[in-house]
Amino acid sequence: MSSPTSETSSPAGVPGDAIITIDGTEKQDPGNSSSEGITPATLVEGSIRKRLSRLLAGQLQKIPITAAYVSSSIIRRLRPIENPNENGLDIQRIDSHPLGYPRLAAFINSDDNFMMCRRFGFLHTRVLLYRQDELRELEDKLVRLDKADEEEYPIKLKSREMDEAHEPCDRKDLIQEIDDKLKQYDELVVRCKTFASLKKTRDRDYNSLKFWISNNKPLAREESEFINCDEDFISLAEAPEGVWFDGFIEDCLEKLPCRQLTKLLFSSPAQWRKTDDSYVRFYSKARIDMLVRLMICILACAILMAPVAVLYTSNVTYNASLKIIIILLFTLLFCVALCLFTKARRQEVFAATAADDISFIQASSSISSKPIKPPKRRNPTAATAGPSTARKPRQSKLAKENNITAQQESDIKEAFSLFAQRHKDFPDEREGVVPILDVRRALIALGLPPPTPPTLTTLLQTLDPTSTSTSTSTSIGYATYPTFLTLCALTLQQQSQTPESQTHEVQTAYSLFTAGGEGPITLAHLKRVARLLREDVGEELLRDMILEANGGAGVGRGVGRGEFEEVMRKAGVFGR
């Protein structure tokens, strides 16, 4: 920028005189004014500063302050100064190289994605086949030579020294030739394997290089034809995982309207100065990778938490089919995301999917078992205030007969209902019947110690000899509600009895059978008890009961007190 100048008047004989307007006053600058501390250079510098400040103030008032202006100003200030080498050439800048192979090389070197070349797979295969046939021909020669020596000089096949002693030594020269060809062939195989392991160039990177060559035309027409062999190009740089998503993000950034701001955020200053070509834009891999990682983290959290939120906020918790469908969909989405954004192997995908399924199932189970909030308690009004008047459950006749409380009867009835079922052979049982196999489970649900299966069958037959064998449709017996309640009542009473009270109860029960006598219990005693209880029991069954109790000693011998107590203990009436 040129310095501002002012009009001056220079009379003859007074060289260097100038009138400089400063702050609205006029001062004459004599030829020598050093005595007052003001020099012509000082006055000129002050005038320039003042006029520059006024000019900049006027220009700033005319420039609209916009986002594009701010971002472009920041970019201009952050743009690094070019650092050319001793020959005046900036190696990193593409446009500083001459158009031709130098500029093409600079463009390919500007980004790892452009590091690609032709594999020449056809030529490699042709040379490989040629070397292979050469070795085949040498192999046939060696086989024919061995066959000839086998007939004429077999000793040459058994001794290398003898073979080399004979002139001419064809085998030695042939083996040396085979060794040379094998070295060439092995080196060629390794080269082919190396090229075959390199992955094909991504279409996005290949098209970028092809469009740049088409726009800039750095090579002659014939030498530019190599770019048309798209299937033969391989990438020399290893692509990171999820590279397709990085390219997708870059394409999205290209479509944003604020390109200057995008360039500021996702490009480094060193990349800005690589080229002035408006069709070429470089992005910082580190910044793009940071954005991609952030998006993947958000996606992963959404995939993991979305099914939990859906199950928690909706009413599908109690619909098993819909819940399975939701878990299946989000598991499939998780598996797809894992395959797309990572380089996970198959076993790793299976393991991660299984772990994701387990977390979904555990979350679903915890949501399904969440406690139901109790209803809010209303404040008692004046009419209902006072002591509680809730009615307590009344003790039924069956509970009184078995000496249990109403609460105990309620618990027993609830446990019985868990396993009760209707049966055609028991039409009069309103509560239903329980299979003998489920009686032990019902006792466990009630919190009572269950007896062993043989003891349980004996006990039920003792309490009700007819109810467990009434069913004609199956061989499995059934227990009615009164029988089950009596069994539970005996078990409850057994838990609360002491040895002294049990002995007293045994004696009392024995006296009921003997009508107050000393015993033993005879067949007549059992008939009397059956008549009192109004039970229609045959004499044969009573005889079997006596024989079972006294161990088959005979009906006439009866049942003594000890045998009676043993029978009651086996039945679970008293402690065993």
Side-chain angles (χ1 to χ4, degrees), residues 330-343:
F330 280 96
T331 302
L332 181 61
L333 184 61
F334 173 81
C335 185
V336 171
L338 189 65
C339 295
L340 289 178
F341 296 107
T342 65
K343 292 184 178 180

Side-chain angles (χ1 to χ4, degrees), residues 34-321:
S34 58
S35 60
E36 298 182 6
I38 299 177
T39 63
T42 305
L43 294 177
V44 171
E45 181 181 358
S47 176
I48 291 175
R49 288 181 178 179
K50 190 67 175 179
R51 296 192 180 189
L52 278 176
S53 62
R54 292 177 180 176
L55 179 61
L56 290 176
Q59 289 179 350
L60 289 177
Q61 292 177 358
K62 298 178 182 179
I63 298 177
I65 305 301
T66 61
Y69 172 76
V70 173
S71 60
S72 61
S73 300
I74 296 175
I75 291 175
R76 285 196 303 271
R77 290 183 177 275
L78 293 178
R79 184 184 297 274
I81 301 175
E82 295 183 2
N83 187 21
N85 58 11
E86 59 183 6
N87 297 323
L89 177 66
D90 185 6
I91 300 296
Q92 300 300 326
R93 181 170 170 79
I94 299 173
D95 299 342
S96 64
H97 293 267
L99 185 62
Y101 278 104
R103 186 171 297 184
L104 176 60
F107 178 77
I108 294 176
N109 184 58
S110 63
D111 194 277
D112 291 342
N113 293 330
F114 299 148
M115 295 297 294
M116 64 185 75
C117 65
R118 284 192 60 184
R119 181 174 53 187
F120 290 101
F122 173 75
L123 295 182
H124 275 91
T125 307
R126 280 295 304 272
V127 175
L128 183 65
L129 292 174
Y130 189 85
R131 296 301 181 194
Q132 179 178 279
D133 191 68
E134 285 182 339
L135 287 171
R136 192 264 319 160
E137 183 180 1
L138 294 175
E139 182 183 28
D140 291 342
K141 275 186 181 182
L142 181 62
V143 171
R144 288 195 302 269
L145 182 61
D146 292 340
K147 288 290 185 181
D149 289 341
E150 183 182 11
E151 296 177 359
E152 298 180 4
Y153 305 102
I155 190 63
K156 295 173 65 176
L157 299 178
K158 297 180 181 180
S159 173
R160 181 188 59 81
E161 294 180 356
M162 295 293 295
D163 182 44
E164 293 180 359
H166 283 75
E167 293 293 341
C169 186
D170 297 333
R171 184 175 286 103
K172 180 179 180 181
D173 297 337
L174 181 59
I175 289 179
Q176 182 62 45
E177 185 180 0
I178 291 175
D179 185 42
D180 295 338
K181 294 294 182 181
L182 280 176
K183 290 179 181 178
Q184 299 177 9
Y185 183 78
D186 294 343
E187 182 183 355
L188 181 61
V189 169
V190 172
R191 292 206 313 264
C192 292
K193 180 181 178 181
T194 303
F195 276 99
S197 62
L198 297 176
K199 296 184 181 293
K200 183 180 179 297
T201 305
R202 293 190 305 134
D203 292 341
R204 183 173 183 272
D205 301 332
Y206 168 78
N207 291 330
S208 297
L209 178 60
K210 183 177 181 180
F211 293 155
W212 187 88
I213 293 177
S214 176
N215 292 334
N216 292 270
K217 296 179 175 54
L219 305 179
R221 182 175 180 180
E222 293 79 6
E223 298 185 25
S224 300
E225 293 296 328
F226 77 95
I227 197 63
N228 296 325
C229 303
D230 54 336
E231 294 295 331
D232 198 48
F233 270 83
I234 54 176
S235 178
L236 302 180
E238 183 178 0
E241 58 181 3
V243 65
W244 68 270
F245 193 63
D246 295 9
F248 174 75
I249 294 298
E250 293 178 3
D251 293 339
C252 292
L253 294 176
E254 287 295 323
K255 297 179 181 179
L256 295 178
C258 48
R259 290 190 176 182
Q260 292 291 345
L261 183 60
T262 303
K263 184 178 179 181
L264 176 64
L265 294 177
F266 296 100
S267 298
S268 63
Q271 292 173 323
W272 300 344
R273 64 183 180 88
K274 284 187 176 182
T275 181
D276 294 331
D277 192 344
S278 60
Y279 294 101
V280 179
R281 283 172 290 276
F282 293 96
Y283 291 100
S284 172
K285 286 184 172 57
R287 301 181 186 184
I288 294 294
D289 185 65
M290 186 181 301
L291 177 62
V292 170
R293 289 178 181 272
L294 178 61
M295 297 178 67
I296 291 178
C297 289
I298 296 174
L299 179 61
C301 293
I303 293 177
L304 293 176
M305 295 304 299
V308 179
V310 171
L311 294 175
Y312 186 82
T313 57
S314 62
N315 295 326
V316 303
T317 306
Y318 304 101
N319 190 336
S321 301

